Structures are given as C-alpha cells and as structure tokens.
Amino acid sequence: MLNKTDQEFGEKCLHSDPISWVEKYADYLYGFAISRIRDEEVAKDLVQDTFLAALQRLDGFEGNSQEKTWLTAILKNKIADFYRKRSSSSVKDLREMDVEGELKDFFDAESGHWTEKDYPRAFGLEMYNPLMMKELGFVLNKCLAKLPGLWFSVFSMKHMDDLASEQICNELKLTNANFWVIMHRTKLNLRACLQKNWN
Amino acid sequence: MTSALRNIIYNCKQATFLIEKRIAGKITAAETLQLHVHLKGCSVCKIYQRQSILINKVFSDFENSDVKLDETFKKILKDKIEKEINKN
C-alpha cells in the first residue's frame, strides 16, 4: 500500500518539480508581480500564494504548457483578484477620489485653462539619460503608491498588460466615461506629483 | 469656426483629456483636429503631452528592471513548499 502511494506521488510529480520552483521561478514571478502592483510586501505574498495554489493543483498540471507559463497564469489570476479587491473598496464617486483627500482641479472651472500654480514645467530630461530615468522611476513609484486603489488598477492594467478599455471596464465594473476620467485624473496627479518631488 | 473648435482653443482641461485618450485609445478625426489646433498655440499642454508619454514609458520600463527576491524570503518559501509536499 505504501509503495503504491509512493508510486502515485512519483507519477504525479513527473510533470513538475516543486522543489526547484523557488530556484527557477521566484525572481521572475516576483518581478512580474511587483511591476504590476508596486508594493514589495503584496508582491511577495502573491508569489507565495501562487506556489501554494500550484501545489494544490499539481494533479491538473499535465505538462502541456511550460511550468513557467503555468505558474505565471496562476499569478495573473491572483493579480486580477487583487486589482478587483482594491478597486471595489475605493469609493467610486469620482469627486471623492483625489489624491491625499483633497480635490485638486488643476484647471480654471470656467475657462478650462491651467491654473497658474499647476502649470506643467519642464523636468529637464530632454536629453536621454538612463540614470536619471531610473531615478525618475523611483519617484514615480512613490507617486503611484499615493493613488487611490481603483486608479492604480486601471492605470496598471492599461499600461502593463495593454488591456482593451472594454475589458478593464468589465473587470472593474466601470463605465467607459468613468474609465477615461480616471485615466485623465491619474495622469494629472502623477505628473503633478513628479513635478513636486523631482529635483 | 465651429463652436467645438472655438471651445477647445483655450480649454487645457479638454485638451489634456484628449491627449490621454489619444495615447491610450483613439480619438475621432474632429477631436484630432481640435487637439492639433490647441497644441499649436499652447506650449504648456505641449510640455504636458511630452511628460505624459514619458511617464508611461518609465512606468512600463519597470518590468525590465532587474528586481530580485531576498534570499531570506526565498528560503522561507522553499521551506513552506517542502513542508506542504511532505503533508501529502
């Protein structure tokens, strides 16, 4: 009886070798998660959840797809769940959703012209400079962390995974009009945050 | 001049909205014309547009940066997986 169990377990593992997962895939999966979440702790949790969920589903892994592809697909689902959860907990009323609780308008209510204090000014990055781009990336991550959850989800789904707006609206239960208002306000806030914290 | 065109010439809010829509989706031919006229005369929105594209690039370039998990966490992960396997 013991032998049979051993044998079954052996067969089950033919397609996949969980002992080597961390070695082979942990860095890759972490990079995938953190680029979409921008939060180290959450990204770590999702990588761990992915491995544990994969262990539960070892039986279902036929070896048809690459192990890496299979694990990434599980992680993608976990990220989608995370986006949905963060988005549903944000208030969907756009008037109440601005960064740091204050409603920044950036524009004159009547003319729609930039208010003078909000004028975009050059970042001084006209020449391509990899080091400065990296630095800008750090500042951007700090600015992203201040965004309301729903905004971040929308922005990341659009720009990391290049999803169609219809699909994002479906997943996050948004109207098309709201989607574009969020895209616009997200960028206005990120840009202003960069301008404030850059230099 | 149509009123839509006249409205947008000074309207940076609408112009930046169209800039975002054009970058991440598509805008109509009429909107393209409106935006073109606006940008001809508005250097501030031209800066905005350049920076908006830069932000998208910096955001998506992050994926290619070489992030790694710390070894302590990897060790914990490994132990958890082994423990889970031995349960079966």
Side-chain angles (χ1 to χ4, degrees), chain B residues 22-39:
Chain B
R22 178 162 74 176
I23 293 173
K26 54 175 183 274
I27 55 177
T28 65
E31 288 170 334
T32 306
L33 175 67
Q34 290 167 19
L35 186 54
H36 181 77
V37 171
H38 183 95
L39 287 175

Side-chain angles (χ1 to χ4, degrees), chain A residues 30 34 37-47, chain B residues 73:
Chain A
Y30 178 66
I34 193 133
I37 302 288
R38 305 292 159 110
D39 180 312
E40 288 178 18
E41 290 313 307
V42 176
K44 279 181 179 176
D45 282 349
L46 291 185
V47 172
Chain B
F73 186 73

Side-chain angles (χ1 to χ4, degrees), chain A residues 16 19 36 40 45 103-104 118 126 130 135 151 160 169:
Chain A
S16 190
I19 302 288
R36 285 159 180 80
E40 288 178 18
D45 282 349
L103 181 69
K104 285 205 200 101
D118 296 311
E126 283 64 33
E135 195 60 40
W151 296 18
M160 284 316 292
C169 290

Side-chain angles (χ1 to χ4, degrees), chain B residues 55-68:
Chain B
I55 289 169
N56 289 353
K57 182 170 161 39
V58 172
F59 182 71
S60 50
D61 274 358
F62 187 89
E63 187 161 41
N64 306 320
S65 63
D66 211 15
V67 282
K68 286 200 165 34

Side-chain angles (χ1 to χ4, degrees), chain A residues 11-24:
Chain A
E11 277 168 17
K12 205 160 72 175
C13 284
L14 271 183
H15 299 305
S16 190
D17 175 21
I19 302 288
S20 67
W21 282 355
V22 173
E23 208 78 59
K24 285 187 193 154

Side-chain angles (χ1 to χ4, degrees), chain A residues 135-180:
Chain A
E135 195 60 40
L136 195 67
F138 286 126
V139 182
L140 181 63
N141 277 347
K142 284 191 190 133
C143 295
L144 286 162
K146 291 185 199 166
L147 289 178
L150 173 63
W151 296 18
F152 178 81
S153 300
V154 168
F155 188 73
S156 184
M157 286 165 101
K158 184 69 215 168
H159 292 295
M160 284 316 292
D161 292 314
D162 198 24
L163 296 182
S165 57
E166 295 80 17
Q167 197 181 339
I168 298 172
C169 290
N170 258 338
E171 295 233 359
L172 303 180
K173 307 218 178 345
L174 289 171
T175 63
N176 192 50
N178 272 355
F179 172 84
W180 287 110

